[in-house]
Amino acid sequence: MFNFIMKMFSEDIGIDLGTSTTLIYSRNRGLVLNEPSVVAISKDTGEVISVGLEAKRMIGKTPANIVALRPLRNGVIANFEATEKMIRYFIRKAVSKSRLFYPRIVIGAPSGITEVERRAVIDSAKQAGAREVYVIEEAMAAAIGADLPIEEPAGNMVVDIGGGTTEVAVISLGGMVVSKTIRVAGDEMDLAIMQYFRKRYNLIIGETTAEETKISIGSAFPLKQEQTKEVKGRDQVSGLPRTVVVSSEEIRQALNEPIRAIVEAIKETLEETPAEFAADLVERGIVMTGGGSLLRGFPDLISQETSLPVHLAQEPLLSVAIGTGKYLEMLDRMKK
């Protein structure tokens, strides 16, 4: 009876605590928050100036006494205090004020995090006001969010390419048979583009410009019609603003190293997968989720490299968040 009352008067939520973006999924209201994982802090007082979208706009443009930073790097907490303040702000923004009890929270985390990192995530959520905190591997959450039949005695392979990490896993009977986490994902792709411009054009560009270039003309596989884009930055020699025109072939070349690392992680996971699951994977293929999976031609490249069918999840950007929310409903069953 007490548990029933708690469910009625608290709003349980699932959090995809991403390196680039934080999403919150409410058991009652669906997706309630989708904001960048960025915090702007005053250097003088340590006070949080802004969080989320407003803070992201400040990156690289703040005065000397304000620093805009990402408190998570490579899928784990790099700045505990800033993360705690960010989570607290997001929870208060997402949870209905009419609720009487603190929420239960499920947080998606990379499967490769250490016990210390896992404890830091849990402590941050509890400090932010959670009644109970559960941590679920992002790959598992992504599979649940993509509606894969994870509780069946058959192999389901999911590749979740986020901002800081790429998660590859084969799941059966509600558990992970084989999993691999590499700290190569969307952020590494942006960094590769920045380095390319520095080496090829002596042009310094910021993270935001690199990300915009990746989204607009980036690809993992040759396009039917290649594209070009004007990119603005600062000349490394003169220090003056300059504009260059780049092609999608050049950006594909810049992205080659992180893309190959992800493809190799998928191949290694397949090599470690028990032979009994081979027929399942040939039939069901690979499901891709996460923002990185939206890079044009990526499913085609992976299909060519693995000889398996590759599908995009229905909502790749939201799969982990939806999965953490659905996990709340499955909690008692999954505990067994």
Side-chain angles (χ1 to χ4, degrees):
M1 177 61 74
F2 178 72
N3 288 335
F4 175 77
I5 293 171
M6 292 289 277
K7 281 184 180 181
M8 287 290 293
F9 293 100
S10 70
E11 183 170 16
D12 296 341
I13 58 175
I15 301 178
D16 175 10
L17 191 61
T19 304
S20 302
T21 308
T22 295
L23 298 97
I24 296 184
Y25 186 91
S26 165
R27 195 178 53 139
N28 305 317
R29 297 181 289 141
L31 190 73
V32 291
L33 186 135
N34 181 353
E35 294 207 24
S37 302
V38 183
V39 182
I41 298 174
S42 167
K43 286 184 179 179
D44 300 330
T45 64
E47 181 186 352
V48 173
I49 306 296
S50 63
V51 177
L53 190 60
E54 189 180 337
K56 186 179 182 182
R57 294 195 186 107
M58 297 182 180
I59 290 180
K61 301 176 182 178
T62 58
N65 66 323
I66 296 176
V67 57
L69 54 86
R70 287 181 172 181
L72 295 108
R73 283 286 170 190
N74 298 319
V76 295
I77 295 175
N79 186 317
F80 184 86
E81 189 177 350
T83 300
E84 183 187 315
K85 290 176 179 177
M86 182 180 76
I87 293 175
R88 182 180 297 147
Y89 172 85
F90 285 151
I91 289 175
R92 287 178 179 172
K93 188 172 181 180
V95 176
S96 172
K97 292 181 176 62
S98 62
R99 298 291 171 178
L100 300 179
F101 298 106
Y102 292 120
R104 289 190 308 170
I105 294 178
V106 173
I107 298 177
S111 55
I113 66 169
T114 65
E115 193 56 40
V116 172
E117 291 166 341
R118 180 182 291 266
R119 175 53 55 189
V121 169
I122 292 172
D123 288 346
S124 286
K126 285 188 173 178
Q127 290 289 332
R131 183 172 88 250
E132 295 174 26
V133 182
Y134 302 91
V135 177
I136 178 176
E137 291 90 348
E138 283 179 354
M140 180 69 78
I144 295 170
D147 288 327
L148 295 183
I150 63 164
E151 294 178 87
E152 292 181 6
N156 299 278
M157 189 169 191
V158 62
V159 177
D160 178 51
I161 307 171
T165 60
T166 294
E167 303 275 327
V168 188
V170 176
I171 299 169
S172 176
L173 288 171
M176 292 203 289
V177 180
V178 183
S179 68
K180 184 175 287 291
T181 300
I182 60 168
R183 295 186 176 183
V184 178
D187 288 349
E188 283 293 318
M189 293 183 195
D190 297 342
L191 182 61
I193 292 173
M194 292 166 69
Q195 290 172 341
Y196 179 84
F197 275 93
R198 191 183 290 263
K199 291 176 183 175
R200 175 74 175 79
Y201 292 106
N202 278 331
L203 192 74
I204 300 172
I205 63 172
E207 288 180 22
T208 304
T209 302
E211 184 181 22
E212 288 171 354
T213 304
K214 175 184 69 179
I215 292 169
S216 58
I217 64 170
S219 67
F221 205 70
L223 302 174
K224 289 181 180 178
Q225 187 172 353
E226 302 292 353
Q227 302 170 334
T228 59
K229 177 181 172 62
E230 284 190 352
V231 178
K232 298 177 176 64
R234 177 166 58 85
D235 190 282
Q236 198 169 351
V237 178
S238 69
L240 299 174
R242 185 159 65 90
T243 302
V244 298
V245 177
V246 294
S247 67
S248 50
E249 294 108 312
E250 288 180 274
I251 301 305
R252 189 163 56 251
Q253 181 185 335
L255 292 171
N256 183 61
E257 194 172 323
I259 285 172
R260 294 313 309 174
I262 292 170
V263 170
E264 286 306 310
I266 294 170
K267 286 183 173 180
E268 287 171 16
T269 305
L270 286 169
E271 288 168 7
E272 294 171 21
T273 302
E276 288 81 359
F277 292 106
D280 298 330
L281 297 181
V282 169
E283 181 184 338
R284 301 182 182 209
I286 299 169
V287 175
M288 294 184 69
T289 71
S293 67
L294 296 174
L295 184 70
R296 276 170 291 188
F298 216 164
D300 298 325
L301 177 65
I302 293 172
S303 182
Q304 177 181 284
E305 293 283 337
T306 62
S307 301
L308 293 173
V310 179
H311 318 283
L312 269 181
Q314 192 168 356
E315 295 186 272
L317 289 167
L318 308 181
S319 294
V320 173
I322 293 171
T324 57
K326 286 184 176 179
Y327 186 75
L328 287 161
E329 301 292 338
M330 303 167 64
L331 203 51
D332 293 335
R333 192 164 73 251
M334 292 296 280
K335 279 180 181 176
K336 295 176 184 177

